[in-house]
Amino acid sequence: MENETIVAQATAPGESAIAVVRVSGPRALDLASRRFRGTRSPRDSGSHRILFGTFLASDDSPLDTVLISVFRAPHSYTGEDVVEISSHGGAVIPVAILASLVEAGARPARPGEFTERAYRNGKIDLAQAEAVAALVKSRSDRAARAAHSALGGALSRRVTELDRQLVELLAEVEARIDFPNDVEEALDCAVLADRCAEVAGPVREWVAALPASRRREQGVRVAFVGRPNVGKSSLLNALVGFERAIVSEVPGTTRDTVEESIWLDGVECRLCDAAGVRQPEERVERLGLDRTRDAVRRADLAILVLDRSDPREEEDRAALAMIGDRPVVVAWNKADLVEASGSAGNGGGVATRPAAAEIAVLPALEVPRTQLLGEVATVAVRSGGAEALREALRASLRRLSGSAPGEELPTTSLRQESLLSEILEELDRAERSLRADAPYDLVAVDLTEARRALGEIVGRGVDQDVVGAIFSQFCIGK
Ligand code: GDP
């Protein structure tokens, strides 16, 4: 298996100026040489050279003019001989190059197989391999920076440093198992317990910072919630800046879920508009409502849209109930209608400054202050009428995702996060045991377990199936 030569298109399929087909394995140079006519054959080329020539199809007819980059083992991405063929893009040429190489004896690569080989050949550890996937998937500048930091080894260095501390601690505990009478025990236990807490401190901070960091990287999901016809679709369109959702005066028009992203301070904000909340009249609307429930369940933040000109306590309360205890921004939409009729519910202040005014939630709705991140008046159908909402979202995002740009934590996968939590548990357990004067052997077991979990972050002792599962999530050609 490992000495098979694999091939895949490394660039995304479709129309493009250039496409790259990558070959890796012991026969990479040989197979490429058979299909290439140029000034020099890849077989005879030094490493890190680019060759110019013609690539041939399976029947030896010329396919395209190409550049071939040669990387000789171990100085390549995978650690094996690697050849990268840059051709014209599109649906035909790269596929034909791939077919020609398969015909010559290469095997189409599985998803993530190039990176898996890099990992198995010791070019990168598992944390870095996961960072490759995160980097490719990143959708914002900050996400890419965090992934790049992990790929550069920032996460692995944290692991190494923590492991050094654990080894020291473990050595001290083990010394006491071997020479039990050398020290004054009660006093000594307290000192060691303090050391445990000291080591655990930064790990605890790290774990605590991960949810916000993940939001910065992966974006925040925002669901519009409100009864039909209050202007949810109009507000989404106003924020996005074009007609994404269908706006209609017929209540209950939005049944499918509409998703669109905006970026605020470099954080992706995935806006999701679904069916309005009301007693469904027929089956399709009921299905729509199920989707709304689902969208709200997955949301980090809800925008509760209320009709400023027509608040209806019971129905608005049903919408609020669906939001549960999620953070919420309240948008009092259709403020213009209040303005026009001059019948503002709580005075004319809103009428003159509808977009920016701070107004009180209907007291009966009772959104808890801790849950309420902002409250604004909007006119979705007026140019600039949703700017107050955009600003409220921006401020909310700052609270939800932390606001320290430039000092990103290295991307940490969910797998790594759960290992970090495990390490914390073991350290806390060790500390408790020490404070309770439990035998040193027990403490040593906890610390050893913490080290095992730590090693797994970078791939030490990780089950082959787990490794396989991680790489299977990659795209082909990576
Ligand atoms: P949804 O069902 O909550 O998504 O509501 P829509 O966005 O489809 O809007 C329902 C109707 O209200 C449409 O006819 C909109 O043009 C209108 N509408 C939305 N926002 C405003 C607003 O701020 N002022 C006024 N006057 N009409 C609005």
Side-chain angles (χ1 to χ4, degrees), residues 421-464:
S421 303
E422 227 178 280
I423 294 164
L424 262 188
E425 274 172 37
E426 297 296 348
L427 280 170
D428 288 346
R429 205 198 321 271
E431 185 190 338
R432 277 197 306 275
S433 302
L434 284 164
R435 300 225 187 269
D437 289 336
Y440 285 122
D441 316 47
L442 279 184
V443 179
V445 170
D446 295 335
L447 294 177
T448 306
E449 276 300 295
R451 279 199 72 205
R452 179 200 50 75
L454 186 65
E456 279 191 28
I457 292 182
V458 288
R460 268 200 300 278
V462 176
D463 196 88
Q464 286 312 303

Side-chain angles (χ1 to χ4, degrees), residues 50 52 92 107 152 206 208 244-245 257 262 348 363 388 396:
I50 296 179
F52 175 76
V92 178
R107 167 171 71 69
W206 186 1
R244 176 62 178 86
T257 320
I262 55 172
S396 305

